[in-house]
Amino acid sequence: MTNIETDVAQNAARQFLDGHFATLESLELIDDLLSGEENTHAQLQKDLENASRATEALREEAVEISQALRDKALTLIDVHSEVVGAAADDSVSAWQFRDGTETMDLVATLATELQSYDKLSRAKTYIDALLEVEQAKQSARQSLSTNPQGMLSAYSKLIAILAARSSNESLEPLASGSATSDCSADGPPQPSNLLEYTKQSVQEIWSEANKAAASAQSESLGKLGWPAKMDLSSAAAVGAFDSSFSTLAGLDHITRAASDALARCGLTLRDGDAPPLPLEHMARAVDIRMRYHFESARTTSRADKPEWWLSQVLGMLRNIVPFLESHVQRLFNGTALPQIDARNEFIRLVLPVVHRKLVHDRPEYMRNGLVIAHVVHELADFEHTLRDVYFYDGPSVLGRFLADSALFSAWVEAERANAVESYMQTIAESNPFELVYEDDMLGADDAKPSRLAEKVVLVIEDIAERYAVVPSCMQRLQLLSTAQFPILIALVEDIEGEIDEFSRISLAFIRDAGITNAIASKSTAAAQSPLVSQLARLTSWYQTIWYVEEAADDWNNSPTYVDMWAAVCQRAAALGRNTDPRDWRMNCDEWSDADRTLLDETTHQSFANDDWLDGGIWERSIATLRDLKQRVLDIISRAINKDVVGQLRAYRKKSNWTAEGIGANADTDVSIELSGLLPELSSVLVALEMMVPSLAFSLLLRQLATELDTFLVERVALAHSFSQCGGRQFAKDVGALSQLLSSSTSREATKKSKQRVLPKSKECALVLANSLDSTTAPAENDMPLSLAEWGTAVVSPDASDRETELVLKKLGISTLSAKEARTLVGLRVDFAELTGCNT
């Protein structure tokens, strides 16, 4: 190859000389040209030497670079891999560096060697890591029963390895690559991911250690007598418990301390709010027995007997709490776990068992809502024991149970249906208004309940007793509105219907009624009076209303309803807009959580309208009953008045008042027309006095006296002519009626009344029985002056009303008007004959 290059160069030189130096003159210049070429060649030679030196320096630098490339290779490989990975040709190897240059060939060779070295190094590290994990696992397992502290140490080391692996990702590519497949099948298990394998190892040791320590603790507790009454006399059993307790506490502490590292690996062994591990396993004894006896097909698993399983829970608490307070609390104080109240924490662990049992029985509760009331009472007693005896200060068990809106609605509906059924059964009986007790069993002023009244009060009070323990005021109000008020409303409507039906029958025909009842049969005279049977019917309504009214008044002042009313007023005050708390029932079915917050607030604020608080939640019901009671009393009064006036029809038509000799004999003789009325009226009043309270009886007597007074004056005294004898007979009759009415007002309440009986009739009798002149023998209680002495002045056309009233006042007459006095004087036929005056 060198000879070929020399020939080519010589031919090129000859051609150049022949073409440029053919003449003599041009040959003279050759020396100059050769000198220049020599200089050029020398310069080129010098440049070549410089280039050779530069090349050598570059070679030396490349060697130095190659030496340093060992430390930079991984970075170069990663960069090159990224570049190649972005190329379209996927067949290009990540380790293919050859691009035709010597330097890059060297780099490629070095990179290949480094790759092999790196794989071998990582494989060794991976195997070392597996061996470390396996050694820790083996150590922990060997120490489970013989050396608890060694087990805890190995478990702690495993967690430390896991934490280190989670922060060192250099092993992960190899762990998931082909290197794992080169591991011997006879060696330790090779997972596809070292971090996952370490996590599995930690979880396995945790589970095995937890199970072993829990089993040892359970066995030691059994030797101590748990869950029966515990006996700490066995030192060996106490020591075994202390050892297992210490192991569980240490396991719990190590796990809690490493919770952040475990969380970074995606492993959760203990929640942040998990209870202490030793107590958690102690509480499982309660859980096991509850599942066995009360959440199975055994006869002890009954939803309608919550007292069975709640008493069992309290019994186990009674057995364990002294041990918790005297021994376990001391052990806890010596651990690194957060300080707790062992007793309270154990109760908190037992309560989920109670909640689970309630959920287990929920379908039965939904089918039979009345069972819920029983469960609520038992839960209230259970929680009361927890708080008062064991000083539990956690969330309310009962509150959580009643937070189930569907469950509470089932209870409300069951209470409503049961109350309606009880009421309808009673009202459908033959005589629901029949009084329950005999007259002599209760005082005169005591309300006498009918069967219906007693049932209504009993139903309402039973419902109130069942929901009195409900902590939510809103729920108590919903029960009151849905289950209690409708019964009272039904009672009012039924009595109003009875009254309306009675009123449609003319009271004029009341004497055509049937036979008397048991009250009337106590008197022979009363047995002859059909009025008494009707009065008994009317007064049974009155007593029914009165009994329920008095019960409602007691309810209105009871602490339960006072608190409920204060809550209603508080809500009304918060809503503003002139909200009347008495209208709370209008939209109680639409109450929201905000309403619940207002109603369940325990601290009641002051209200702008304090009159609200003076009312009460039963205020409107009491007012309705009081109005209805007054309506019945008015009907009783009308019945008596109409009956008495009806019997006086013959007396009103009596026409022999002017006959001589009438009334001249015994002053106690009354008109024959009154001889039947007086004993019957007396017996009616005696019976009525036993049927109604004193105030009502006094009111009825006053109304009867007013009716009789008006009748005797207008229909008798001012409607007939009288002789002095006739006037004296009228006075006897008025006196007899007055004595009858006065003798009936024997109660203390009516004794205090200063109102005169039949005042106007008595003054009419005085005028009509007044002696005609001084020659006539004066009658008993006669006026101080004879009729002839003052009558002329009264009937004189010149006498004014004022003058007449002054004369009458001096004579002791104050209720008669001047006109009525003139009429009465004119009706005295003997006075007319004496004076020649005509009426």
Side-chain angles (χ1 to χ4, degrees):
M1 180 178 177
T2 304
N3 294 330
I4 294 174
E5 291 176 352
T6 303
D7 291 341
V8 172
Q10 290 176 353
N11 290 333
R14 187 180 296 113
Q15 290 176 1
F16 178 81
L17 291 175
D18 290 342
H20 291 82
F21 304 104
T23 63
L24 182 62
E25 289 81 5
S26 59
L27 290 174
E28 292 177 353
L29 298 174
I30 193 167
D31 288 335
D32 296 333
L33 292 173
L34 289 174
S35 298
E37 288 297 329
E38 289 177 355
N39 293 332
T40 301
H41 182 268
Q43 183 64 39
L44 291 174
Q45 187 67 30
K46 186 177 180 180
D47 291 341
L48 181 59
E49 293 175 355
N50 291 336
S52 297
R53 287 192 296 269
T55 300
E56 186 64 24
L58 288 175
R59 287 181 181 276
E60 292 176 356
E61 185 177 356
V63 172
E64 293 177 358
I65 291 174
S66 296
Q67 294 296 330
L69 191 59
R70 181 185 181 88
D71 299 329
K72 304 292 185 179
L74 290 176
T75 303
L76 178 61
I77 290 169
D78 291 340
V79 173
H80 186 267
S81 298
E82 292 177 2
V83 174
V84 174
D89 187 2
D90 295 336
S91 64
V92 178
S93 172
W95 298 96
Q96 190 176 6
F97 285 90
R98 293 178 176 84
D99 54 3
T101 64
E102 184 179 0
T103 301
M104 294 310 296
D105 287 345
L106 180 60
V107 170
T109 301
L110 180 59
T112 301
E113 294 176 353
L114 286 175
Q115 180 189 18
S116 300
Y117 175 80
D118 182 68
K119 288 182 178 180
L120 292 174
S121 177
R122 289 167 62 83
K124 180 179 181 301
T125 305
Y126 185 74
I127 293 172
D128 292 341
L130 286 177
L131 289 175
E132 186 179 21
V133 173
E134 283 298 318
Q135 289 173 356
K137 286 174 61 178
Q138 189 67 19
S139 175
R141 283 171 174 161
Q142 291 176 352
S143 305
L144 279 177
S145 58
T146 59
N147 184 10
Q149 293 303 317
M151 181 274 298
L152 293 176
S153 177
Y155 174 68
S156 180
K157 183 177 180 181
L158 264 178
I159 292 180
I161 294 172
L162 178 61
R165 295 289 175 266
S166 65
S167 61
N168 182 10
E169 299 178 356
S170 61
L171 295 178
E172 298 309 314
L174 183 61
S176 59
S178 61
T180 56
S181 63
D182 296 335
C183 296
S184 173
D186 298 332
Q190 301 298 319
S192 61
N193 188 298
L194 181 60
L195 181 61
E196 288 298 323
Y197 178 68
T198 309
K199 288 169 56 178
Q200 292 175 10
S201 300
V202 171
Q203 197 162 12
E204 289 174 6
I205 296 302
W206 155 262
S207 177
E208 293 173 11
N210 184 22
K211 182 178 179 180
S215 177
Q217 180 179 265
S218 178
E219 183 179 356
S220 62
L221 283 173
K223 293 179 180 178
L224 293 174
W226 169 251
K229 188 175 182 180
M230 303 190 70
D231 181 10
L232 304 183
S233 59
S234 174
V238 173
F241 172 81
D242 292 350
S243 177
S244 60
F245 183 95
S246 177
T247 302
L248 288 171
L251 196 64
D252 196 8
H253 172 65
I254 293 171
T255 306
R256 289 176 187 272
S259 59
D260 292 339
L262 293 174
R264 285 195 299 270
C265 302
L267 184 62
T268 302
L269 299 178
R270 299 285 287 165
D271 294 332
D273 57 349
L277 198 57
L279 284 182
E280 182 177 331
H281 289 296
M282 292 177 68
R284 285 182 182 171
V286 181
D287 184 25
I288 293 171
R289 281 155 180 79
M290 283 293 294
R291 290 181 185 273
Y292 181 82
H293 293 289
F294 303 108
E295 297 179 34
S296 62
R298 284 176 164 74
T299 56
T300 52
S301 180
R302 291 181 54 177
D304 61 335
K305 295 293 183 181
E307 63 272 19
W308 287 4
W309 56 272
L310 286 173
S311 62
Q312 286 293 319
V313 173
L314 288 177
M316 286 187 279
L317 284 178
R318 185 168 55 251
N319 294 331
I320 193 68
V321 164
F323 178 67
L324 292 171
E325 294 175 335
S326 63
H327 191 78
V328 175
Q329 186 66 56
R330 177 176 55 81
L331 294 178
F332 259 112
N333 295 339
T335 65
L337 292 173
Q339 295 302 304
I340 61 168
D341 182 348
R343 177 196 60 247
N344 200 61
E345 187 66 21
F346 184 82
I347 294 175
R348 191 175 71 86
L349 290 172
V350 169
L351 292 185
V353 180
V354 175
H355 295 310
R356 192 189 64 238
K357 169 61 177 173
L358 294 172
V359 173
H360 176 271
D361 293 338
R362 186 179 186 275
E364 182 63 27
Y365 299 155
M366 296 298 292
R367 287 190 293 270
N368 186 2
L370 288 179
V371 175
I372 300 174
H374 180 45
V375 175
V376 166
H377 256 275
E378 293 298 329
L379 282 178
D381 293 341
F382 174 76
E383 186 169 334
H384 177 76
T385 303
L386 292 184
R387 298 191 184 279
D388 290 359
V389 177
Y390 301 114
F391 307 103
Y392 170 69
D393 57 358
S396 171
V397 181
L398 180 57
R400 177 174 173 177
F401 177 68
L402 292 176
D404 187 338
S405 58
L407 195 71
F408 179 73
S409 298
W411 180 21
V412 173
E413 176 58 25
E415 289 286 5
R416 185 200 65 78
N418 181 66
V420 170
E421 182 182 4
S422 298
Y423 179 83
M424 295 305 295
Q425 288 178 350
T426 305
I427 196 69
E429 294 176 358
S430 60
N431 189 6
F433 294 100
E434 181 183 3
L435 299 183
V436 177
Y437 305 108
E438 298 292 338
D439 298 327
D440 54 356
M441 294 183 63
L442 296 173
D445 292 325
D446 294 328
K448 303 176 180 63
S450 63
R451 285 187 292 166
L452 182 61
E454 194 172 50
K455 175 61 71 174
V456 167
V457 172
L458 183 63
V459 167
I460 292 177
E461 290 182 347
D462 284 348
I463 295 174
E465 183 180 358
R466 286 193 287 271
Y467 72 64
V469 296
V470 174
S472 171
C473 181
M474 188 181 82
Q475 290 181 329
R476 295 199 302 270
L477 288 168
Q478 289 172 337
L479 279 162
L480 170 65
S481 175
T482 306
Q484 291 176 289
F485 275 145
I487 301 302
L488 198 59
I489 293 172
L491 173 68
V492 171
E493 290 176 349
D494 286 335
I495 294 180
E496 286 179 340
E498 294 281 343
I499 294 173
D500 292 340
E501 182 180 359
F502 185 87
S503 299
R504 283 193 296 269
I505 302 174
S506 174
L507 290 175
F509 301 101
I510 194 170
R511 297 191 62 77
D512 297 331
I515 61 173
T516 61
N517 61 0
I519 294 178
S521 64
K522 293 186 176 182
S523 171
T524 303
Q528 307 302 319
S529 173
L531 175 63
V532 175
S533 63
Q534 293 299 328
L535 291 180
R537 180 184 178 191
L538 292 171
T539 54
S540 68
W541 300 345
Y542 182 91
Q543 292 286 354
T544 297
I545 301 168
W546 182 27
Y547 183 79
V548 177
E549 178 199 354
E550 286 201 338
D553 191 60
D554 292 339
W555 302 334
N556 208 40
N557 296 315
S558 66
T560 298
Y561 293 109
V562 168
D563 291 342
M564 292 165 67
W565 178 244
V568 169
C569 292
Q570 177 171 280
R571 174 180 174 273
L575 294 178
R577 303 187 302 275
N578 298 322
T579 303
D580 191 338
R582 293 172 296 182
D583 298 331
W584 66 272
R585 290 190 63 223
M586 295 178 60
N587 59 349
C588 67
D589 294 336
E590 302 173 0
W591 280 344
S592 62
D593 291 338
D595 293 308
R596 184 184 189 119
T597 301
L598 289 174
L599 291 168
D600 292 351
E601 181 66 38
T602 55
T603 304
H604 302 303
Q605 304 172 355
S606 59
F607 308 105
N609 188 356
D610 289 337
D611 293 339
W612 289 351
L613 293 176
D614 296 335
I617 210 160
W618 292 95
E619 177 187 5
R620 285 187 171 177
S621 300
I622 294 172
T624 300
L625 292 169
R626 188 174 292 122
D627 293 342
L628 188 60
K629 185 177 68 174
Q630 184 59 48
R631 183 181 175 189
V632 173
L633 200 63
D634 292 341
I635 293 179
I636 294 175
S637 178
R638 288 172 55 199
I640 296 174
N641 294 348
K642 279 186 172 292
D643 183 79
V644 172
V645 170
Q647 293 188 65
L648 289 173
R649 187 180 296 113
Y651 186 74
R652 182 191 65 184
K653 295 179 179 180
K654 182 178 179 178
S655 59
N656 61 345
W657 296 108
T658 58
E660 293 296 334
I662 183 173
N665 298 322
D667 291 338
T668 58
D669 292 341
V670 296
S671 298
I672 191 172
E673 293 82 358
L674 294 181
S675 59
L677 170 65
L678 291 177
E680 183 175 345
L681 179 58
S682 176
S683 64
V684 167
L685 293 179
V686 170
L688 182 63
E689 188 177 14
M690 301 169 62
M691 297 177 186
V692 294
S694 300
L695 292 178
F697 182 71
S698 177
L699 176 63
L700 291 173
L701 281 181
R702 287 198 298 270
Q703 292 174 345
L704 176 60
T706 301
E707 183 75 15
L708 285 175
D709 199 25
T710 302
F711 177 86
L712 292 172
V713 171
E714 296 178 357
R715 299 298 183 89
V716 179
L718 296 177
H720 297 87
S721 297
F722 289 83
S723 64
Q724 182 180 359
C725 292
R728 292 183 177 181
Q729 182 62 55
F730 180 72
K732 294 177 185 178
D733 296 341
V734 171
L737 289 171
S738 176
Q739 183 179 3
L740 175 61
L741 295 177
S742 299
S743 62
S744 299
T745 59
S746 58
R747 298 185 184 175
E748 194 66 28
T750 55
K751 284 182 178 180
K752 298 178 180 179
S753 176
K754 298 181 179 180
Q755 184 177 0
R756 295 167 58 195
V757 180
L758 307 178
K760 210 166 186 178
S761 298
K762 289 181 178 179
E763 291 185 355
C764 289
L766 284 176
V767 174
L768 295 175
N770 190 205
S771 300
L772 179 62
D773 52 33
S774 57
T775 61
T776 307
E780 185 179 358
N781 299 324
D782 200 357
M783 298 176 68
L785 298 176
S786 64
L787 183 60
E789 293 174 324
W790 63 271
T792 305
V794 170
V795 298
S796 173
D798 298 332
S800 64
D801 291 346
R802 178 61 178 167
E803 293 174 345
T804 301
E805 291 173 355
L806 289 174
V807 172
L808 295 174
K809 186 175 182 180
K810 292 180 179 179
L811 295 173
I813 297 175
S814 59
T815 61
L816 293 176
S817 65
K819 181 180 179 181
E820 291 171 336
R822 293 191 190 100
T823 302
L824 290 171
V825 172
L827 290 173
R828 282 285 297 271
V829 293
D830 50 354
F831 178 78
E833 293 174 356
L834 177 65
T835 61
C837 298
N838 294 321
T839 304

